[in-house]
């Protein structure tokens, strides 16, 4: 969900003329023309001739590019992030007797309902971990084999997941756990591979990425729609019927990938400009120019003219320069842009810049997924009312996708027009406020908490990817950001321990666990903000000193 903004930042990142670039960005900006989603450093996984080459958008008819974007948004609505609608489908699975076969032992010390709750939450935890860890291999597959292979793999995973969920009672393994796992894997394979479509229309890349983001957020409402149907039919349309019907989605993705969608990624504007800037093959005066050589040179010149014409058609005459200068101003506003660009991935990972944001992400991702998994039992205890907790859960199921969609434009405005220190301060403040509201046994606090949570969730994910791109750069983005998300995902397994504390140790009281997570997040968050603030102030002071020295050293001939 958050990677799309980074793709948008990359689109125009290298079009500012060299003589117009700031001191801080002049060197770093020219290091790479394309963001790397590959988790392996370049020295470990160098580009090969077998890698799928990108194609210029001007080489594909406009109607086909429009159709590609439309189809992709449609299937992302039904596939990208469906597993995050867990809070909506959980009551359905419980009512259909999920895990009763392993939780009905009379000598079970934790009780049947608690046992089912823990098993279902583990199912979601594994899916959440898989979603994050999957970003690592997806980056490498996308770089080497292109978006079509990624999309087809996503369809395969969705098919396996739907079949396992549908026939979980007839197979000897935990069909719910593995089925939800494969659904979780299918989502990012279809979603992340769709980012490159923003380059189909560079002038509208932000709008396309916003559509994809909205589709991802809205996809969590799929299970909410199913639960409504389930309740309206009195349980006749069970989860088996639903997941058999869901097989239409991967079939649609396969047809779209093979018939309409591109096998190769579209070139970014930076790659197109690099192709234009590449010098033509010089004529060697010592060589005789025969008819074949002259024909090759003429074809090369014609291709160059077609590329220039295509780029002008895609961008317009002044659009690229204006957009590039706007991105340059955003980088200056950040206050820390480029601070770690000159270091390799290992040096970046060892730095406090990485360690602090990684710790903060681990804690916040665990808090977010833990809340999604346990919202109903938490508020059943706080409200002392099952009915009130169900009403709140229903509100949350609707607010979660809507919050992601409504927050898209505001997130962009905040990240583009405020410094990184301000963004991080806002993250820590919002996380602390949500934690405080989450322990109050009042309805107004609960509904306020949910409203803040559904807006904070996409803001947090996007801010972390934005921070990674600005601080560490595009060249190592796949390695650094992938490591952050992977470690955060793996630590999500701690949710099983938090579940045990909630249901067994504290007898269903959510306050101790929430206070623990709140305290850890606040301590790490404050440390991170103070570190970045001090370093940003030092960077600004150094830049002012350099500008002053430059002004005094410039000779005055007047």
């Amino acid at each position: 969900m958050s990677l799309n903004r980074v793709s948008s930042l990359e689109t125009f990142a290298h079009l500012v003329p060299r003589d117009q670039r700031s001191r801080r960005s002049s060197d770093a900006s020219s290091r790479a023309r394309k963001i790397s989603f590959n988790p392996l450093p370049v020295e470990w996984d160098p580009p090969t001739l077998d890698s799928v080459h990108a194609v210029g958008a001007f080489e594909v008819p406009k109607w086909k590019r429009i159709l590609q974007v439309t189809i992709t948004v449609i299937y992302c609505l039904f596939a990208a992030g469906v597993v995050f609608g867990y809070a909506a489908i959980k009551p359905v699975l419980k009512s259909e007797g999920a895990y009763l076969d392993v939780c009905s032992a009379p000598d079970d010390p934790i009780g049947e309902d608690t046992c089912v709750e823990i098993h279902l939450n583990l199912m979601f935890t594994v899916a959440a971990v898989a979603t994050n860890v999957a970003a690592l291999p997806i980056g490498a597959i996308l770089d080497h084999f292109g978006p079509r292979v990624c999309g087809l793999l996503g369809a395969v995973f969705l098919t396996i997941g739907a079949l396992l969920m549908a026939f979980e009672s007839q197979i000897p393994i935990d069909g719910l756990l593995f089925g939800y796992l494969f659904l979780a894997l299918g989502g990012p394979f279809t979603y992340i591979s769709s980012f490159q479509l923003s380059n189909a229309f560079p002038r509208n890349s932000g709008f396309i990425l916003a559509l994809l983001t909205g589709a991802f957020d809205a996809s969590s409402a799929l299970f909410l729609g199913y639960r409504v149907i389930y309740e309206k039919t009195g349980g006749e349309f069970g989860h088996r019927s639903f997941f058999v019907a869901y097989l239409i989605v991967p079939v649609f993705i396969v047809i779209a990938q093979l018939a309409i969608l591109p096998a190769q990624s579209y070139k970014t504007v930076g790659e197109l400009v690099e192709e234009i800037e590449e010098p033509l093959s010089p004529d060697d005066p010592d060589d005789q120019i025969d008819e074949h050589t002259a024909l090759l040179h003429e074809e090369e010149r014609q291709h160059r003219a077609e590329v220039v014409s295509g780029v002008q058609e895609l961008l317009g005459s002044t659009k690229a320069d204006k957009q590039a200068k706007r991105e340059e101003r955003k980088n200056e506003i950040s206050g820390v842009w480029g601070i770690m660009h000159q270091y390799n991935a290992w040096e970046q990972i060892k730095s406090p810049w990485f360690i602090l944001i990684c710790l903060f992400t681990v804690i916040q991702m665990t808090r977010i997924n833990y809340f999604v998994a346990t919202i109903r039992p938490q508020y059943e205890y706080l409200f002392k009312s099952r009915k009130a907790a169900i009403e709140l859960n229903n509100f949350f199921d609707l607010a979660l996708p809507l919050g992601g969609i409504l927050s898209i434009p505001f997130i962009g405005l905040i990240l583009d027009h405020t410094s990184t220190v301000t963004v991080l301060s806002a993250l820590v403040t919002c996380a602390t406020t949500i934690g405080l509201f989450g322990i109050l046994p009042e309805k107004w606090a609960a509904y306020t908490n949910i409203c803040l949570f559904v807006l904070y969730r996409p803001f947090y994910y996007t801010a972390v990817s934005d921070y990674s791109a600005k601080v560490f750069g595009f060249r190592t983005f796949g390695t650094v950001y992938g490591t952050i998300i992977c470690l955060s995902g793996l630590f999500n397994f701690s949710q099983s321990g938090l579940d045990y504390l909630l249901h067994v140790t504290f007898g269903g009281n959510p306050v101790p666990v929430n206070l623990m997570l709140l305290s850890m997040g606040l301590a790490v968050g404050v440390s991170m903000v103070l570190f970045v603030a001090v370093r940003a102030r030092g960077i600004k002071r150094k830049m002012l000193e350099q500008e002053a020295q430059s002004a005094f050293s410039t000779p005055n001939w007047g």
Side-chain angles (χ1 to χ4, degrees), residues 16-29 328-329 331-332 337 543 547:
V16 180
R18 287 184 179 274
D19 58 351
Q20 297 178 23
R21 290 176 181 165
S22 68
R23 285 187 185 86
R24 287 178 55 206
S25 63
S26 58
D27 294 332
S29 295
E328 179 78 1
R329 286 195 295 272
N331 293 338
E332 292 296 326
W337 191 90
M543 288 180 62
E547 289 177 1

Side-chain angles (χ1 to χ4, degrees), residues 335-396:
V336 297
W337 191 90
I339 186 65
M340 295 293 291
H341 287 198
Q342 70 271 28
Y343 298 97
N344 62 39
W346 177 237
E347 291 171 329
Q348 291 175 346
I349 289 172
K350 292 189 298 181
S351 71
W353 293 95
F354 174 88
I355 294 171
L356 289 170
I357 192 66
C358 186
L359 287 174
F360 185 72
T361 304
V362 165
I363 296 169
Q364 296 307 314
M365 190 175 291
T366 302
R367 283 184 64 186
I368 288 172
N369 290 331
Y370 173 70
F371 183 76
V372 171
T374 61
I375 178 173
R376 183 178 292 189
Q378 283 195 43
Y379 281 102
E380 281 183 9
Y381 184 93
L382 291 175
F383 288 165
K384 308 299 182 186
S385 169
R386 182 179 179 84
K387 180 181 178 183
I390 291 175
E391 291 175 355
L392 185 73
N393 198 158
N394 293 341
F395 174 75
F396 175 77

Side-chain angles (χ1 to χ4, degrees), residues 19 74 80 247 338 369 381 397 437 531:
D19 58 351
I74 290 173
L247 290 172
N369 290 331
Y381 184 93
D397 293 338
F437 279 129
F531 170 80

Side-chain angles (χ1 to χ4, degrees), residues 41 123 225 243 356 454:
M123 177 189 81
F243 283 107
L356 289 170
V454 299

Side-chain angles (χ1 to χ4, degrees), residues 162-163 166-167 239-248:
L163 289 173
F167 300 102
H239 76 279
R240 175 180 295 183
S241 301
F242 170 76
F243 283 107
V244 169
Y246 183 79
L247 290 172
I248 297 173

